[in-house]
Amino acid sequence: MRAVVLSGPGPVENLSLVELPVPEPPEGWVRIRVRAFGINRSELHTRLGLAEGVVFPRVPGIEATGVVDSDCDLPRGQQVVAMMGGMGRVFDGGYAEYAVVPRACVVPFDSELPWEVLGAIPETLQTAYGSLTTGLDLRGGQTLLIRGGTSALGFAATALAKDLGATVLATTRSADRLGVLREHGADHPLVDDGEVAAQVRALCPDGVDAALELVGTPTLPDTLAATRVHGTVCFTGMLSNQWLVRDFYPIGYLPKGVRLTAYSGEAADLPAEVLQRYLDQVAAGEVSAGPRTVYRLEDIRAAHDDLEHNRRVGKLVVVL
């Protein structure tokens, strides 16, 4: 099979397309014929040497979409997504024509959407769903600020929040991307100059009910300042590659009465019925799956370079 192997931390040249034997699944694992996979900042962190516990060489990829290709409790040919659980770090991940993963990482679904759409959804949907439910307990009628709205996760969170009945404020650093945010459901697109709290409070004088922080610690204080008393900020993303708050003094850092939570999850945190409903809504045109850029497996270096330098809007997807 063809697979992408990361030889070690470093530049995109450390990613190589090679031939490997088709892996055999041990007991309790599932082999998936990969048809598409999303590219995530988690894999960029791995390539840059920012991830812990990775043994090289390694086939990266924390997610994959395809069909069951081994004997298990699911029929061969069943459409599935696989994500997290150590994929691409502890064991070989989704950047290959076949991936072998623990059964716990697998969620089945049925859809006639094209693979380039299906491949863009699993990890971003799991994270967006968990952030809005577990992280924020978002309700219909509330206001939500998404800091980092033109990321794949930002678009997914917008779609879920709008379906829930929330009003969405979403940020971008580029004024020419405001239209894209509006096109994909944001009620109030905002240009992020590093200080959006004043813009938010011009629209919501008391602050937003909830905020999803996807940029990282550089913008977190301003996001907290945009949130009302008894509102909640969920720290989920690190588009800035910065996730540590140094010399953290809670009383000085946190605005009075504003709650700060965080979210990261696994495949088990995305119920199969939530995945299926979302796919059905995308197919029916009821929600947007967000913009995406599609690559071939042999273009993996270009895809990683685009991700690292933020050249694309939305999800980057490889179709096999």
Side-chain angles (χ1 to χ4, degrees):
M1 70 171 185
R2 295 184 305 158
V4 173
V5 171
L6 177 61
S7 59
V12 292
E13 287 75 19
N14 286 14
L15 293 165
S16 299
L17 183 59
V18 303
E19 291 284 336
L20 294 177
V22 175
E24 291 295 329
E27 185 71 24
W29 291 52
V30 180
R31 184 170 63 215
I32 298 170
R33 171 65 172 96
V34 179
R35 301 300 302 272
F37 60 83
I39 299 176
N40 302 282
R41 297 197 75 85
S42 173
E43 293 120 37
L44 175 60
H45 294 160
T46 297
R47 180 171 65 76
L48 295 177
L50 302 176
E52 297 180 353
V54 183
V55 178
F56 299 99
R58 174 66 68 213
V59 176
I62 64 169
E63 65 175 317
T65 303
V67 297
V68 173
D69 188 64
S70 64
D71 293 329
C72 64
D73 62 311
L74 297 171
R76 285 179 179 256
Q78 170 68 55
Q79 291 176 301
V80 292
V81 299
M83 69 190 90
M84 316 303 284
M87 286 182 66
R89 291 186 174 187
V90 180
F91 55 90
D92 286 343
Y95 285 25
E97 292 180 323
Y98 292 88
V100 168
V101 302
R103 175 64 179 87
C105 295
V106 177
V107 184
F109 69 90
D110 294 290
S111 178
E112 295 183 0
L113 287 166
W115 289 110
E116 67 181 61
V117 176
L118 296 170
I121 288 173
E123 193 277 337
T124 51
L125 178 62
Q126 182 273 127
T127 307
Y129 175 77
S131 296
L132 297 188
T133 55
T134 301
L136 291 171
D137 193 25
L138 187 70
R139 307 298 175 92
Q142 291 187 321
T143 49
L144 170 69
L145 169 64
I146 301 177
R147 197 74 179 254
T150 53
S151 64
L153 181 51
F155 285 115
T158 297
L160 291 179
K162 292 298 296 179
D163 184 55
L164 192 63
T167 298
V168 175
L169 297 75
T171 71
T172 174
R173 290 181 299 170
S174 302
D176 59 0
R177 293 181 176 180
L178 291 172
V180 178
L181 286 174
R182 189 175 289 108
E183 178 185 347
H184 290 276
D187 298 289
H188 302 287
L190 306 173
V191 174
D192 190 346
D193 59 0
E195 298 180 0
V196 301
Q199 297 181 61
V200 169
R201 288 186 177 269
L203 296 166
C204 308
D206 293 331
V208 290
D209 298 302
L212 181 58
E213 179 58 74
L214 302 180
V215 176
T217 54
T219 55
L220 180 58
D222 187 57
T223 299
L224 288 161
T227 306
R228 67 168 175 83
V229 173
H230 298 160
T232 304
V233 176
C234 181
F235 188 94
T236 295
M238 298 165 287
L239 296 169
S240 64
N241 292 340
Q242 297 182 50
W243 49 85
L244 293 179
V245 177
R246 301 193 182 279
D247 303 319
F248 179 57
Y249 174 50
I251 292 176
Y253 191 90
L254 296 172
K256 181 173 58 179
V258 177
R259 299 157 176 158
L260 176 61
T261 68
Y263 179 79
S264 65
E266 300 288 343
D269 296 305
L270 178 62
E273 58 271 20
V274 172
L275 172 62
Q276 188 63 58
R277 181 172 186 269
Y278 184 80
L279 294 176
D280 292 344
Q281 288 178 308
V282 171
E286 297 171 1
V287 300
S288 169
R292 59 194 170 276
T293 303
V294 180
Y295 302 84
R296 302 172 301 168
L297 194 60
E298 49 266 42
D299 299 326
I300 194 65
R301 290 180 178 176
H304 257 249
D305 197 55
D306 285 346
L307 179 66
E308 183 175 1
H309 295 96
N310 299 310
R311 296 192 186 100
R312 307 298 181 186
V313 174
K315 188 76 171 186
L316 279 57
V317 185
V318 172
V319 175
L320 287 75

